Amino acid sequence: MASTYSFDIVSDFDRQELVNTIDQTTREIGARYDLKDTKTTVELGEEAIVVNTDSDFTLQAIHTILQTKAAKRNLSLKIFDYGKVESASGNRVRQEIKLRKGISSELGKQISKLIRDEFKKVQASIQGDAVRVSAKSKDELQQVIQRLKQEDYPVALQFTNYR
């Protein structure tokens, strides 16, 4: 039996589910009567999604479709970081939606401080863009997970490598 138990707090998303979400969004744009002739493109890059469409109104409709499809595929809406709406050529609008991945060092410090303040027997250490939490009792780790789920952080948190 292990003397200490641990898990990692990460902020990540399933890339394939995001690809499927973009594909479904593109299909719905092509099928919807109000969006069919807008020549809208939704392109998935390595770290961002680029939406190019004809007006702010259709851009808002595309946001709604994208968020609905993402929610149905169990993707957190916190992974989307909407950038500024820019004017593109031909009276069109373009927006870059950055994809949030990883826990920033400031957020990692905030999480580990919360754990240190509320759970005396639990250790938290920042490891790159993840936070490793360890304790002698699995019950304490479960309490930490429940406490972190109550907080509203700007990124989606997942709990991995529970051992």
Side-chain angles (χ1 to χ4, degrees), residues 34-147:
D34 58 337
L35 300 174
K36 197 181 293 185
D37 297 330
T38 60
K39 296 183 177 66
T40 299
T41 60
V42 181
E43 299 169 4
L44 175 61
E46 199 58 37
E47 296 181 5
I49 300 168
V50 178
V51 179
N52 191 333
T53 188
D54 66 348
S55 69
D56 285 333
F57 179 73
T58 55
L59 185 63
Q60 293 305 317
I62 291 162
H63 284 183
T64 304
I65 295 169
L66 182 65
Q67 291 170 352
T68 304
K69 299 297 182 189
K72 284 183 181 175
R73 296 200 153 270
N74 293 328
L75 288 173
S76 173
L77 300 183
K78 293 180 179 180
I79 66 170
F80 301 125
D81 184 16
Y82 297 97
K84 197 175 71 177
V85 178
E86 306 166 351
S87 295
S89 60
N91 289 335
R92 295 178 65 79
V93 293
R94 177 181 181 276
Q95 184 178 37
E96 185 175 54
I97 305 170
K98 292 197 184 316
L99 301 171
R100 288 191 187 127
K101 195 173 192 175
I103 296 176
S104 66
S105 60
E106 299 88 39
L107 185 61
K109 289 176 186 172
Q110 184 180 347
I111 291 171
S112 60
K113 181 179 181 332
L114 177 117
I115 292 170
R116 269 197 316 275
D117 292 347
E118 294 190 19
F119 301 95
K120 301 299 180 206
K121 296 181 180 179
V122 179
Q123 294 83 38
S125 61
I126 301 170
Q127 298 183 339
D129 59 355
V131 177
R132 167 80 41 96
V133 180
S134 56
K136 291 188 187 285
S137 166
K138 285 184 176 181
D139 293 339
E140 291 170 343
L141 293 181
Q142 291 289 342
Q143 291 171 354
V144 170
I145 290 174
Q146 293 306 316
R147 177 64 180 96

